[in-house]
Amino acid sequence: MDPTSSSSALRWKILRQALLRRSDSQSQAETNRISRKATQGFNLIPCQVVDSSPQSDKSREACVCYTFPITASPKLYLTQRVDNCSDLNDFEISNRYNIDNTGLVCQWPSEEVLAYFCMSQPDRFRDKRVIELGSGYGLAGLVIAAATEASEVVISDGNPQVVNYIKRNIESNSMAFGGTSVKAMELHWNQHELTELTNTFDIIVASDCTFFKEFHKHLARTIKLLFKAKEPSEALFFSPKRGDSLDKFLKEIEDIGLHYVLTENYDAQVWKRHETLVKGDKAWPNYDKNHCYPLLIQITNHI
């Protein structure tokens, strides 16, 4: 198979196109074929672009207000990159740290589903120590901090640029967290030492972190290291199947001695929206269950 036509190669072409602004019809057709990016995602948490904060670069960033669909309708304000704003520095950093650049591209739909699911189950997180892996701009972690009374929330990503956005978003929303301790952290899954984090967390959350197969083994190891050693812990991952990528990740989970349960229909509202998209919706014309619908993977240590 020609490597230039593989899914991963075409996804990276999407990112490269943001930099190069290629307009030839062949390139556009290829990226449209593989792109699953939605204009509105699952539309579970109402959001709108508001005026940028004074310190933001208005040509590259936007401030987005997310309104929780719960009592009192609390809000979060996240600074994010606008679409098609990658530059050479983004790719240089990706190469330097051997990380992907997807956290800067947009707020991915699986992250919205994760945030909505966590918001809907506050008792699950109350008084728990929680970490989000591969968080991107940190929507889910910030939602947990603002809506569930968790004792601690660490929002992590391997991309230092993304971590800077997380820090800004924590600062912008600090009044929303009550007594919850919230911090950002640069975390690489291939780190050999996680001394301050080992056996620390009750709950790990992540969305769409299983696409790149070369990261599977390191990700599984990181989950096991972060779990508490002598108490029950769980990881809540939301991820589409994406061919055999999810299956291969779950094999790594089994090989490292952890357990998992896979659930397709885990929330009535998410499932209803999925069924609408399957039938056809102009907001997400390329919607495909295999590549777009996030399954719930509950990983445990069975202590």
Side-chain angles (χ1 to χ4, degrees), residues 119-177:
M119 181 192 309
S120 303
Q121 301 199 19
D123 291 345
R124 192 173 202 146
F125 298 90
R126 187 168 289 117
D127 299 322
K128 303 294 186 182
R129 300 186 72 180
V130 183
I131 184 169
E132 182 177 10
L133 303 179
S135 69
Y137 295 110
L139 176 62
L142 293 168
V143 164
I144 293 169
T148 72
E149 298 181 5
S151 64
E152 178 185 12
V153 178
V154 176
I155 307 174
S156 72
D157 200 277
N159 188 321
Q161 291 178 290
V162 173
V163 173
N164 285 335
Y165 277 103
I166 299 169
K167 290 178 179 177
R168 290 167 60 185
N169 289 331
I170 290 173
E171 183 177 354
S172 298
N173 296 280
S174 59
M175 299 300 293
F177 303 142

Side-chain angles (χ1 to χ4, degrees), residues 44 116-117 120-121 264-272 293:
L44 299 165
Y116 180 82
F117 181 86
S120 303
Q121 301 199 19
E264 183 178 54
N265 187 350
Y266 44 81
D267 180 273
Q269 189 64 30
V270 176
W271 187 254
K272 179 181 179 181
Y293 180 72

Side-chain angles (χ1 to χ4, degrees), residues 2-14:
D2 179 0
T4 61
S5 63
S6 69
S7 293
S8 58
L10 289 173
R11 287 188 184 280
W12 279 108
K13 192 175 289 186
I14 297 168

Side-chain angles (χ1 to χ4, degrees), residues 21-64:
R21 315 273 199 209
R22 289 183 57 188
S23 60
D24 66 275
S25 59
Q26 181 179 2
S27 173
Q28 191 62 50
E30 287 176 339
T31 55
N32 285 345
R33 177 169 63 85
I34 196 63
S35 176
R36 306 294 173 182
K37 187 176 163 188
T39 56
Q40 295 184 20
F42 287 91
N43 203 23
L44 299 165
I45 304 176
C47 64
Q48 62 179 351
V49 176
V50 296
D51 289 340
S52 300
S53 57
Q55 74 262 28
S56 69
D57 180 348
K58 294 187 178 183
S59 66
R60 292 168 55 83
E61 300 174 348
C63 182
V64 181

